[in-house]
């Protein structure tokens, strides 16, 4: 929508400073959030103190990205992208708050580090961790750390969820790079490994991300049944105990139930 002819040009002080633009975007979003009904441009400009042409330009950019919607009548309201992002933030906050007490319980039972990881594209990102304090062995599972799907216990859980065709796409796309000499680097070996994960409901990382560090992972599901995270227990290789696998899986299942997941009954 062009700037009305009787509106003067925006003052020269309205330079395209990125921080200033973000501040104005936030003002526009806040005003839109205060109104239950769509708001005309003139009213938005008045309530934010912005020049109409400035408000129109910023609203146009936010409309393209889905943060704002503009109707044929030229009025604006908050866009669906905000709902999507809000749901994502809510699910992650809920996940971490729900998981941490049970992670601490698993940590107390084993004395080892417990990690919470989520998928981001072709990598796992660790969003929470309890530290064992028992070893000087450096582990990659620190908050914010990333590792490839095919080398991590949690990543293998997500690859199983993808199905065969998408697993092959992942292998072609990434080339299955090695992090250590123990990393899986061929599609046949990866498919064999993922078949074991599928059958047992737990996944292992045996020195595949970092030499001397092993992990056991189990999946966490939300109320819709979607796999949203992985719980993993990481230990120095000399303390690795595969008998902890059922405890890791039971803890992950308990977190899933707390998030509203109801597993289907057998039979």
């Amino acid at each position: 929508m062009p700037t009305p002819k009787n509106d003067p040009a925006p003052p020269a002080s309205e330079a395209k400073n990125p921080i200033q633009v973000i501040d104005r975007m936030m003002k526009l979003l806040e005003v839109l959030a205060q109104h239950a009904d769509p708001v005309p441009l003139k009213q938005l400009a008045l309530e934010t103190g912005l020049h109409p042409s400035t408000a129109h330009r910023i609203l146009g950019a936010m409309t393209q990205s889905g943060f704002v919607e503009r109707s044929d009548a030229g009025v604006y309201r908050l866009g669906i992208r905000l709902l999507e992002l809000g749901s994502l933030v809510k699910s992650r906050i809920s996940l971490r708050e729900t998981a941490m007490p049970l992670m601490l319980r698993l940590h107390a039972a084993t004395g080892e580090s417990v990690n919470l990881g989520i998928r981001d594209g072709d990598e796992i990102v660790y969003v929470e961790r309890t530290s064992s304090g028992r070893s000087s062995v450096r582990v990659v599972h620190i908050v914010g750390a990333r590792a490839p799907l095919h080398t991590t216990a949690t990543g293998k859980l997500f690859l199983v969820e993808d199905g065969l065709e998408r697993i092959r796409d992942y292998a072609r796309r990434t080339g299955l790079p090695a992090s250590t000499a123990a990393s899986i680097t061929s599609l046949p070996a990866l498919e064999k490994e993922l078949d074991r994960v599928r059958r047992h409901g737990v996944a292992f990382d045996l020195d595949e991300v970092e030499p001397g560090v092993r992990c056991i992972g189990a999946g966490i599901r939300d109320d819709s049944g979607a796999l949203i995270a992985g719980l993993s227990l990481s230990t120095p290789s000399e303390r690795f105990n595969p008998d902890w696998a059922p405890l890791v899986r039971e803890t992950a299942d308990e977190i899933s139930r707390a998030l509203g997941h109801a597993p289907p009954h057998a039979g």
Side-chain angles (χ1 to χ4, degrees):
M1 187 172 72
T3 304
K5 291 181 180 177
N6 59 350
D7 278 339
S13 61
E14 292 193 352
K16 293 182 180 178
N17 180 308
I19 302 300
Q20 192 178 54
V21 170
I22 292 170
D23 180 61
R24 290 168 176 173
M25 287 174 62
M26 297 308 299
K27 284 182 180 177
L28 286 163
L29 289 173
E30 286 168 3
V31 170
L32 286 168
Q34 291 167 7
H35 293 273
D37 297 321
V39 188
L41 174 63
K42 186 175 181 179
Q43 185 177 350
L44 284 169
L46 182 66
E47 293 190 31
T48 58
L50 296 175
H51 190 277
S53 65
T54 301
H56 178 260
R57 184 176 67 250
I58 295 172
L59 287 164
M62 290 196 290
T63 299
Q64 287 184 337
S65 60
F67 288 100
V68 170
E69 292 179 3
R70 180 182 182 275
S71 74
D72 291 339
V75 292
Y76 297 86
R77 64 180 180 183
L78 296 178
I80 195 70
R81 182 64 180 145
L82 290 170
L83 179 62
E84 294 169 349
L85 291 175
S87 297
L88 185 61
V89 171
K90 180 176 180 290
S91 70
R92 289 184 180 174
I93 291 173
S94 175
L95 168 65
R96 293 168 76 165
E97 291 176 347
T98 302
M100 184 49 76
L102 293 162
M103 290 171 64
L104 290 171
R105 192 182 72 187
L106 179 60
H107 167 76
T110 61
E112 304 295 351
S113 299
V114 181
N115 315 290
L116 184 67
I118 61 172
R119 182 176 186 169
D120 183 19
D122 291 338
E123 296 178 312
I124 291 298
V125 181
Y126 295 95
V127 296
E128 203 60 84
R129 180 173 188 249
T130 69
S131 181
S132 74
R134 285 182 49 183
S135 172
S136 61
V137 173
R138 182 181 66 85
V139 295
V140 297
H141 299 165
I142 58 176
V143 173
R146 292 171 173 266
L149 297 177
H150 67 286
T151 62
T152 60
T154 292
K156 291 172 185 176
L157 296 166
F158 278 96
L159 285 173
V160 166
E161 202 78 357
D162 277 352
L164 190 57
E165 193 53 45
R166 289 175 68 188
I167 291 166
R168 290 172 177 171
D169 287 343
Y170 168 83
R172 284 193 292 267
R173 184 169 62 250
T174 64
L176 302 179
S179 299
T180 72
S183 300
I184 294 172
T185 57
S186 74
L187 181 59
L190 180 60
E191 289 179 353
K192 186 176 180 180
E193 172 76 358
L194 295 179
D195 184 58
R196 281 195 293 268
V197 174
R198 188 179 297 107
R199 286 186 282 109
H200 296 293
V202 291
F204 295 93
D205 153 20
L206 302 179
D207 303 89
E208 297 166 57
V209 174
E210 183 177 2
V213 179
R214 297 189 172 190
C215 296
I216 306 168
I220 296 171
R221 296 182 183 274
D222 65 10
D223 56 349
S224 72
L227 181 66
I228 59 168
L231 180 77
S232 60
L233 185 74
S234 59
T235 75
S237 298
E238 65 270 17
R239 292 206 303 265
F240 177 70
N241 183 356
D243 292 339
W244 278 329
L247 184 58
V248 175
R249 186 171 56 202
E250 288 162 13
T251 305
D253 288 346
E254 195 169 344
I255 296 170
S256 297
R257 287 193 297 272
L259 291 170
H261 177 58
H265 294 289

